[in-house]
Structure formats: C-alpha cells, structure tokens
Amino acid sequence: MGSQSKTCQNCKKDFTIEPDDFSFYEKMKVDIPDFCPSCGLSRLAALRNERIVYWKNCQKCDNKTMSLYHPDSPYVVYCHDCWWGEEWDGSQFGQKYDPTMPLIKQINNLQKNVPREALIILNSTNCNYGNNVRDSKNCFFTFLVSDSENILYSMFTVSSKDCMENHKIVESEFVVHSLDITKCYKSAYLQDSSDCSFCYFSFDLKNCNNCIFSYNLRNKSYCIYNQQLTKEEYQKEYDKIFNGSFQTLLESIKRFEEIKIKAIHRFASILKSTDVTGNYLQNCGKSRLCFDGVESQDVRYVANILHSKNTYFSYAIGVQPTEFIFGSAVIKGGSMIKNSFNLSYCTFCTWCDSMVSCNNCIACVGLKKKEYCILNKQYTKEEYNKILKQLEEKGELASFVGPEFSTFAYNETAAFDHYQIGKEEVLERGYNWQNDIPFTTGKETLKTIDMADNIKDINNNILEEILICNKCQRNYRIVQEELRYLKEFMLPLPRECPQCRMAFRRNSRLPFNLWHRSCMKEGCINEFETPYSPDRQEIVYCEKCYQQEVY
C-alpha cells in the first residue's frame, strides 16, 4: 500500500500515513490515526502530570503527602507506602463488563474508585518534594530524575550529583542553569555541550575547559568569545563576569543569547543513528519524528523514549525494554500495549491504567500481577477471549486515546508544557482545566526592589525571608543548599520563583516538531527536516556543512 494523505481531525493540517505504518497498525489492530503527529503526541502528553504537585492526605493512612492529584479531584489517592502495600488489591474493585455502555465510561468509573499512587518515587531517600524519582537521594523540587544525588530545581537528570537549576543533564557534577549537557563539571549556563569543565554562558562545546561566551569550540581552553587568552588574561575577565552582581548577570545572559544566534546550529542533534528524523537522538535507527530518543529502533511519532522497538504515537516510553507500543504514555518495560498509561512490565494490555506485572488485561486500573482481567474482574482464559472478541468487533479497542482517559487537567500535564493552548481551546477539545493550582501570594517579607544586588551582601538571614516572583507574583524562599550554590558560583539571588525559572529553561529547548528547510551555508543545496522553524534567527547547517565548519 502506498502513502496516504489525511487531514488532522484536530488542527486541520494535512499529514501523511507512510506505507510502513499500515502494517504496524494492522498488527496492533488499531485504527489509522486521524491526528497528525503533533496533535497525537499532545493527546498522549496530556495523560501525564510531571511537575504539578499538591498537599493531600493519604486516603488510607491519613498521613499528609505530596500528590499529583488536586485535593478536590474525584480520585482515591494513596501515599507511596500504602499504594505498594499488600493490604488492598485492585481486583476488589472489579466490575462486570456491560456491553450496553461505552467502554471508556466503564473505565472512568473504575478510575475514580481504584486507589492511585500520590507520587512516583522509587528506591529513593529524602526526595519527597518531586515526582518520577528513582534510585536517588536528597532531591528537592526535582522531577524526572534517576540515579542522582543532591539535585535542586531540575528536570530530566540522570546519574548526576550536586546540581541545581538544570534541564536534561547526564553524568554531570556541580552544574547549574544548564540544558542538554553530558559529562560536564563545575559549569553554569552551558547548553548542548559535553565533556566540559569550568565553562560558562557557552553553546555547543565539546571537550573544553575554562571557556566563557563561546560556541562551536572543540578541545579548547581559556577562551572568551572564541578568542584564545592566556590563563592570567582569562582569570581577569572571569572575575569581572562572576562578580556576584544581579545587573552583571543580566548582561551576561543577554550576551549568551546573542552568541547563540552567532553560532552554527546543526540541523538536529542526531548521534550514531541511521535513517531517522527528529532531534536529540542517540543510537537510534529507522525512526521518524522521534524526539529525545536513545537506543530505539523502528519508532515513530514519539517523545522521551528509551530502549524501545516498534513503538508508534507514544510518550515517555522505556527505562526497561519495550516493544510494540501504541497510543500510550509512561510504559516501563513490556510489549503489545496500546492506549494505556503508567504500565510497568506488562504485556498484551489495552486501555489500562497504573498496572504492574500484568498480562492479557483490558480496561483495568491499579492491578498488580494479574492475568485475564477486564475492568479489574478476573475471568478464565476462555471467558476473557470471548469478551475480547466482542470488544474487537465493536471497535472499542482500536480507537486513539482521547481526553476522557486522562485523570489530570490539561494545564497540569506535560501537554501544557509542550503544546500550550488557552483555557477556551482546552475545554473545546474536551479536556478539563484546573482553575485552582495553588500558590502563595501577598506574603512577601522582602520585595525585589529591596533585595541586595550582590550575593556578597547576602547572609543566612535570607533563608528567613519570603520573596516575590517578578514574573508571576508567586511567593518563594531561598533554601540552604541553593544559597550554597549561589555563593560558590558567585551568582546573585534569583528574582523569579523556581516554577518560572523551570519554564524558562523548558521553553529554551527546541519543540517536538519538524520543518523542511535547506542548509543556510552559501552554495549548499542540501535539505533536511529540522526542529528549527523558518522564522527563527539561528544559522542552521546540514550535517556535512556543520562538520566542516566546526571540526
């Protein structure tokens, strides 16, 4: 079968179904999607709350806990220990399948009755104020972190230590205010770089040390604005830049943004990968529109994917190997899964939610180590297959996941971070909107205008003050470890709250989207798919021209 052009049911833009896609959809027994890749991904990201947390009492032990669910949400929420405890079993909420009622309505009833886990924190110590944390300790207001220690105000942190205010860092130590870096040490305001030490306000550095306001450098030391200096000259300039003043920091950030415009930008960050389109890909193959992917093959229309094969239209897949996944989010190990959320080590599951080590389940919620269940009710294999056939004939297992499956309001989810739309449009699309995302205002004891400009003039008394965010007016505090980092790096007190600082870093990354463009190197006729939209100012080169220019 050849390619087929369709019009997105949501944004009304045309998109193409590729020939290879049809065989996958047939194997998975799902309908051909009516949504373009971007709109499909936004539906899946809307299943996951990554960073909006509330105080709520566990509805089993009554202990106060941080929770992904608003206090007024209709769901039963247990703290981590109670949810994983053996005093309850999801099968006790089992309900008989009613062929006269839409399956999604029956799933919704189950979602409201079966206990949900307040936060996802596994094998970690002193990490209660965060979410999706595993094998870590001493993490504060940190989300999506694994195998890390002493992390503050960060997202997507892997195998790192003593870091603050970062987004997507791997195997790094003592790094602050940085994005998309690997194996870096004692650096600040560093982006798209690896194997660097003592580098600041710089972009696209590899194996460099002691560089400031630099870009596209390789194996360099003691450079400022890409100019080679002596060690003594460098230190003199360094002392001027890191003098602890807020006004100096503002000027440095402005210069950093300017050097990113001067830099040569590779059309996409694709390493050791073949026959792929997307961005931030490593060791991937035969994949299309894949973003933030590692060690994955034959995946399409996906984001945040690791160790996966044959996966289409999915978000946050991996940690443990997965295969044949469709229309799902947060799948940690398993195969033959479709239209599901938050499954670990499951196989042959459809329309399931928050399951662990289950096989052959349909429309189930909160089960552990179960098999042949429908709506949490246990069946024999023969009974299960009979109902399965009925559901397949009605087509209820083949449709694409919709807003009604999500247990979160749109503005609580990752969709709002990556595909931000207004309240009116959110409601028109069938999602809920949370009007009451609580934060404190009007309690400040120290106004911005009265804050000392220089970190040298700040002592521990600041830990007792309540500050006010310049951007959203939210109140916030400085914590002890944060002050230690600021003093060490000679950085002034932040004038914005942690949430707004996180949003700035998140929005500094490229979108989960691609545009067809031509190389901007004069004389080059190469074309490519790139996350840099045509209206952006950056200089974007094809792989060949980038390599020739930088190396």
Side-chain angles (χ1 to χ4, degrees):
M1 185 179 293
S3 60
Q4 177 182 330
S5 179
K6 298 193 72 173
T7 300
C8 178
Q9 185 176 310
N10 182 56
C11 69
K12 310 306 179 185
K13 294 180 180 178
D14 292 336
F15 68 101
T16 302
I17 307 292
E18 300 294 343
D20 291 347
D21 295 352
F22 292 103
S23 59
F24 176 85
Y25 298 141
E26 183 178 359
K27 179 178 179 63
M28 298 297 291
K29 296 182 180 180
V30 297
D31 296 334
I32 296 172
D34 290 324
F35 300 95
C36 68
S38 290
C39 291
L41 269 179
S42 72
R43 284 189 158 220
L44 299 164
L47 298 177
R48 188 188 203 194
N49 178 356
E50 292 179 342
R51 60 177 184 82
I52 303 296
V53 291
Y54 308 92
W55 284 109
K56 188 179 178 75
N57 282 13
C58 171
Q59 288 170 261
K60 185 168 179 61
C61 70
D62 202 38
N63 287 336
K64 193 173 184 180
T65 181
M66 295 303 301
S67 170
L68 297 170
Y69 299 90
H70 191 279
D72 295 333
S73 74
Y75 305 107
V76 178
V77 178
Y78 283 6
C79 67
H80 174 272
D81 290 344
C82 288
W83 195 86
W84 284 95
E86 297 181 358
E87 296 181 7
W88 72 281
D89 189 305
S91 61
Q92 71 192 67
F93 301 92
Q95 57 191 51
K96 187 176 180 180
Y97 167 63
D98 182 355
T100 67
M101 181 186 295
L103 182 63
I104 187 61
K105 295 292 185 183
Q106 299 177 68
I107 296 172
N108 291 157
N109 290 336
L110 204 57
Q111 287 176 317
K112 291 177 182 178
N113 292 321
V114 180
R116 311 187 70 80
E117 188 177 9
L119 294 173
I120 300 174
I121 299 176
L122 302 174
N123 193 33
S124 298
T125 304
N126 193 27
C127 297
N128 293 329
Y129 199 75
N131 183 44
N132 282 292
V133 180
R134 63 172 60 232
D135 303 314
S136 298
K137 67 181 192 177
N138 302 328
C139 297
F140 179 76
F141 206 82
T142 295
F143 307 90
L144 305 163
V145 56
S146 67
D147 190 31
S148 296
E149 182 177 350
N150 303 330
I151 309 295
L152 281 76
Y153 307 130
S154 298
M155 293 190 70
F156 292 100
T157 305
V158 179
S159 302
S160 296
K161 183 178 180 182
D162 298 316
C163 294
M164 179 181 77
E165 306 265 17
N166 300 298
H167 191 111
K168 198 183 177 190
I169 65 170
V170 179
E171 296 181 36
S172 296
E173 185 174 353
F174 216 45
V175 171
V176 301
H177 292 285
S178 296
L179 294 87
D180 295 292
I181 64 169
T182 302
K183 296 181 179 179
C184 292
Y185 175 77
K186 190 64 184 298
S187 297
Y189 292 94
L190 185 61
Q191 186 171 350
D192 284 4
S193 300
S194 62
D195 300 287
C196 294
S197 300
F198 305 99
C199 290
Y200 314 95
F201 300 105
S202 293
F203 175 81
D204 186 28
L205 305 187
K206 301 290 187 290
N207 196 34
C208 294
N209 64 78
N210 296 283
C211 293
I212 305 175
F213 299 131
S214 294
Y215 55 91
N216 299 140
L217 295 185
R218 302 295 183 265
N219 309 311
K220 296 292 185 180
S221 301
Y222 299 110
C223 291
I224 298 182
Y225 289 112
N226 284 26
Q227 300 299 309
Q228 184 67 62
L229 303 180
T230 66
K231 183 177 180 179
E232 292 73 23
E233 291 171 332
Y234 176 89
Q235 187 61 50
K236 183 178 180 180
E237 293 302 314
Y238 174 93
D239 292 340
K240 292 179 183 178
I241 296 166
F242 289 94
N243 63 5
S245 166
F246 180 69
Q247 293 305 316
T248 301
L249 175 63
L250 289 180
E251 180 60 30
S252 294
I253 292 173
K254 180 181 177 182
R255 293 179 184 179
F256 182 35
E257 294 303 315
E258 289 171 351
I259 70 108
K260 285 193 283 186
I261 298 300
K262 293 179 180 179
I264 302 298
H265 291 247
R266 186 189 229 155
F267 77 101
S269 179
I270 298 175
L271 302 175
K272 298 180 181 179
S273 301
T274 57
D275 191 18
V276 299
T277 63
N279 195 31
Y280 292 115
L281 304 181
Q282 185 173 348
N283 296 321
C284 295
K286 297 178 67 176
S287 300
R288 298 286 179 272
L289 284 159
C290 177
F291 303 93
D292 289 309
V294 179
E295 303 284 353
S296 296
Q297 302 287 323
D298 296 293
V299 300
R300 298 189 178 187
Y301 326 123
V302 296
N304 296 326
I305 187 164
L306 173 68
H307 301 311
S308 192
K309 296 180 180 179
N310 299 297
T311 295
Y312 282 44
F313 278 107
S314 293
Y315 180 86
I317 308 296
V319 180
Q320 297 298 323
T322 58
E323 186 172 13
F324 289 107
I325 312 295
F326 172 80
S328 299
V330 195
I331 308 299
K332 295 158 279 190
S335 64
M336 295 304 293
I337 296 168
K338 53 188 179 183
N339 299 335
S340 294
F341 168 71
N342 192 24
L343 270 56
S344 299
Y345 313 106
C346 296
T347 59
F348 293 97
C349 289
T350 303
W351 285 109
C352 288
D353 178 359
S354 304
M355 310 267 284
V356 180
S357 300
C358 293
N359 304 311
N360 295 290
C361 291
I362 300 171
C364 292
V365 180
L367 294 183
K368 306 182 188 81
K369 298 181 181 180
K370 299 294 182 180
E371 189 173 23
Y372 298 118
C373 292
I374 299 174
L375 293 165
N376 284 32
K377 180 177 173 59
Q378 183 69 61
Y379 291 93
T380 65
K381 182 177 180 180
E382 292 71 24
E383 292 170 332
Y384 175 89
N385 285 331
K386 183 178 179 180
I387 299 175
L388 169 62
K389 185 177 181 180
Q390 294 177 24
L391 289 166
E392 288 180 338
E393 289 174 350
K394 292 176 67 176
E396 291 198 90
L397 304 184
S399 58
F400 199 89
V401 66
E404 62 277 1
F405 188 58
S406 178
T407 55
F408 301 107
Y410 189 91
N411 57 325
E412 292 176 316
T413 69
F416 192 66
D417 292 340
H418 297 291
Y419 305 94
Q420 196 163 118
I421 53 177
K423 177 180 178 180
E424 184 176 341
E425 186 173 353
V426 165
L427 298 176
E428 286 177 358
R429 292 189 184 184
Y431 292 97
N432 293 320
W433 181 271
Q434 180 54 257
N435 290 310
D436 179 32
I437 297 180
F439 56 86
T440 303
T441 59
K443 303 293 185 181
E444 58 272 9
T445 60
L446 181 64
K447 295 183 178 180
T448 302
I449 194 171
D450 297 322
M451 292 169 64
D453 174 76
N454 203 299
I455 193 66
K456 297 175 184 177
D457 300 322
I458 300 296
N459 57 35
N460 281 352
N461 290 339
I462 193 66
L463 304 177
E464 305 301 321
E465 301 285 3
I466 301 174
L467 311 182
I468 179 172
C469 176
N470 273 351
K471 189 169 185 179
C472 72
Q473 312 307 307
R474 178 189 274 114
N475 291 138
Y476 65 102
R477 289 181 180 272
I478 303 297
V479 299
Q480 182 69 65
E481 282 300 292
E482 179 180 9
L483 184 60
R484 181 175 73 86
Y485 287 119
L486 294 174
K487 291 277 189 179
E488 179 69 26
F489 280 90
M490 286 299 292
L491 293 171
L493 293 177
R495 267 58 173 179
E496 294 182 355
C497 68
Q499 291 89 339
C500 286
R501 292 170 350 229
M502 279 182 149
F504 175 80
R505 289 191 295 275
R506 188 171 60 249
N507 294 334
S508 296
R509 299 189 81 229
L510 293 165
F512 292 158
N513 209 341
L514 295 178
W515 287 266
H516 189 80
R517 293 185 60 181
S518 299
C519 179
M520 296 175 69
K521 177 69 178 289
E522 185 176 357
C524 181
I525 60 173
N526 286 337
E527 298 180 354
F528 43 70
E529 302 294 317
T530 177
Y532 291 94
S533 62
D535 59 345
R536 294 179 68 109
Q537 299 181 59
E538 293 94 343
I539 303 166
V540 183
Y541 279 14
C542 68
E543 183 68 20
K544 180 180 178 181
C545 292
Y546 171 85
Q547 295 286 345
Q548 290 175 345
E549 189 76 21
V550 173
Y551 287 93

